[in-house]
Amino acid sequence: AGVKVLLATKLRVGDSNTVMAEGGMQVAVKPEDSPVRHFLDTIKGGHFANDRELLKVLVEEGPAATQWLLSLGVLFDRDDDGNLRVRSGGATSTPRLLTCKDYTGLELMRVLKDALINEDVQIVEFAPAVELLSDEAGRCTGAILKNLDNNRFMTVHAKAVIVATGGSGRLHIQGFPTSNHFGATGDALPLAYRLGAELAFIDTFQYHP
């Protein structure tokens, strides 16, 4: 949209838990299904502990997001008539699991990575953020990155900063084993906290398997 963007990543673009995800993604795309039904199934499956506002966005925007992924070229599985094939998933009252064989996450990242490369985005790999910058009012104004190749620091000033952090499975909290990607160390949580951000769901961890 005409914005100058710099994307800094701790490892390589696409290195994430997503590339190892095999199961698929649940979206209400069939005529007999609906976002409301998806919402109710997920509430029940989550033992009514879900954040309902976030869940509402997830189920309502899921079909449009799926169409966007299809437009980018994601090869979801199809039936003999060429329609999207859906499978049964956990805690679902109707099949709604979209898959790409057993490498759904890898296929999603393949397409998204290609789409990113085709955009006018400056990409800096192996350069994790080690601190966020702020002005006198406490507003985030950029970040300090560390180049892992030469151990030098780089200051980036920005009008807006988006912090995207994965899980923290690789911290092995309480000694749990995990198959999380090596980058899943939750770095951005303390960075945002030191800047005054409110953290949510930090008592919820997913260990896989």
Side-chain angles (χ1 to χ4, degrees):
V3 177
K4 183 179 179 182
V5 177
L6 182 144
L7 173 65
T9 177
K10 177 167 56 177
L11 301 174
R12 296 170 301 181
V13 170
D15 282 354
S16 62
N17 284 339
T18 301
V19 298
M20 299 184 289
E22 300 175 351
M25 52 183 264
Q26 294 194 35
V27 188
V29 295
K30 288 298 183 178
E32 64 273 15
D33 201 359
S34 71
V36 172
R37 190 170 183 176
H38 190 182
F39 182 94
L40 294 175
D41 282 350
T42 310
I43 284 288
K44 183 179 179 181
H47 300 282
F48 301 91
N50 317 65
D51 183 312
R52 300 189 182 192
E53 290 299 318
L54 290 177
L55 179 57
K56 181 175 183 291
V57 173
L58 174 74
V59 299
E60 288 183 346
E61 296 187 3
T66 301
Q67 288 300 320
W68 176 68
L69 290 170
L70 288 168
S71 72
L72 292 179
V74 172
L75 299 175
F76 287 117
D77 294 333
R78 305 274 183 164
D79 60 23
D80 293 338
D81 296 325
N83 300 313
L84 289 173
R85 175 180 293 164
V86 292
R87 299 182 179 181
S88 296
T92 60
S93 61
T94 186
R96 68 169 62 95
L97 190 68
L98 297 175
T99 59
C100 305
K101 301 295 186 290
D102 63 348
Y103 48 83
T104 304
L106 184 62
E107 170 66 5
L108 291 174
M109 290 306 301
R110 176 190 71 83
V111 172
L112 292 174
K113 184 176 179 180
D114 285 347
L116 173 67
I117 292 174
N118 290 327
E119 295 291 337
D120 185 20
V121 175
Q122 181 182 354
I123 300 174
V124 182
E125 297 182 311
F126 297 104
V130 295
E131 197 64 80
L132 297 178
L133 303 175
S134 63
D135 59 16
E136 295 80 1
R139 293 170 298 200
C140 188
T141 58
I144 298 176
L145 311 178
K146 182 177 182 180
N147 187 317
L148 297 182
D149 289 330
N150 55 26
N151 288 325
R152 293 182 178 179
F153 294 96
M154 176 173 63
T155 301
V156 178
H157 296 283
K159 294 180 180 179
V161 176
I162 297 175
V163 178
T165 183
S168 55
R170 278 293 168 177
L171 295 181
H172 298 287
I173 296 173
Q174 298 179 351
F176 284 105
T178 181
S179 60
N180 279 189
H181 191 274
F182 287 106
T185 51
D187 306 54
L189 296 176
L191 296 184
Y193 182 76
R194 285 201 293 268
L195 209 63
E198 181 179 350
L199 304 183
F201 309 116
I202 58 173
D203 58 340
T204 304
F205 298 97
Q206 179 185 16
Y207 293 96
H208 216 282

